[in-house]
Amino acid sequence: KLSPVYTLHLFRIVQEAINNIIKHAAASCIDIELHYAEDLLKIKISDNGKGFNLDTISNGTGLLNMKKRAKMLNGTLEINSFPDIHTQIIIEIPVNEQGKQYKLLLADDHTLLRDALSNLINNFDEFAVVASAGNGDEVVKSIKNGCNPDIVLMDLNMPVMDGYATAKWLQQQHPKIKVVILTMYDSEIALIRLLQVGVNGFLKKDIHPAELRKALLIVAAGEYYYSNQTTGKIASLFRKSPDKPSSLEKALQLIWK
């Protein structure tokens, strides 16, 4: 059985492959073959289209994302396509490494909550809390001292160095580390500021443990996660009536004052 992270990566690779074939190859039929051995998963996607010149789309975002996802799974992706000849995409992924645990650094200034959250996350098969901190300054020191987490899960409001400043430092100094904010606040200004510093996820502290695990898995797979309530707030930022400024415009005015 494939882990949720593997499943999501593979789904996105196949989805993008099909989109590229539809967009560039004018195919009427797409065949997908799945070969599963003990330690290797092989997916072959082929079509009956006209093919396309790889040089014209080799730098496209879609193909780059496919290759990036395959590399994240320690796999390979090969594309064979020439004008007037059908396209074939071969993905090979080793499955004996999918039991990897993602390393997580947890930051919250409330010791009781931090310890309880650490125990909860350590019960998730896919994650292990490798370090904890009481504020952003301790996060920075921990990473400078050699801690190399895959994800930093932290409170927004912390003393000394808060979640905004910490997320900004991580974006500038360690952009590969993913950041998830866990807080009680979800104002429009807070959301905009967090989006500006590249936060990968935003969660309320009252979420169910199952949603926390789901969010961490999605972020670990290189995507973004915002709760339904938060997504609604983000959407409302861009709604604008003819006679009133949008929430986005009002929030930006406050930030830029």
Side-chain angles (χ1 to χ4, degrees), residues 56-123:
T56 63
I57 64 168
S58 59
N59 293 321
T61 303
L63 285 181
L64 290 176
N65 283 338
M66 289 167 62
K67 292 176 180 178
K68 179 181 176 182
R69 288 183 183 277
K71 186 177 180 180
M72 288 176 69
L73 300 180
N74 294 320
T76 60
L77 186 143
E78 178 185 350
I79 302 175
N80 299 308
S81 185
F82 303 93
D84 302 320
I85 303 176
H86 70 275
T87 301
Q88 186 178 81
I89 300 172
I90 300 173
I91 307 125
E92 293 188 347
I93 305 293
V95 294
N96 56 351
E97 300 177 7
Q98 67 166 323
K100 167 192 174 183
Q101 279 192 318
Y102 292 91
K103 296 175 292 183
L104 193 142
L105 192 159
L106 179 61
D108 195 296
D109 58 312
H110 295 96
T111 305
L112 188 63
L113 174 61
R114 187 173 68 238
D115 290 347
L117 194 55
S118 178
N119 289 333
L120 172 66
I121 292 171
N122 282 329
N123 281 322

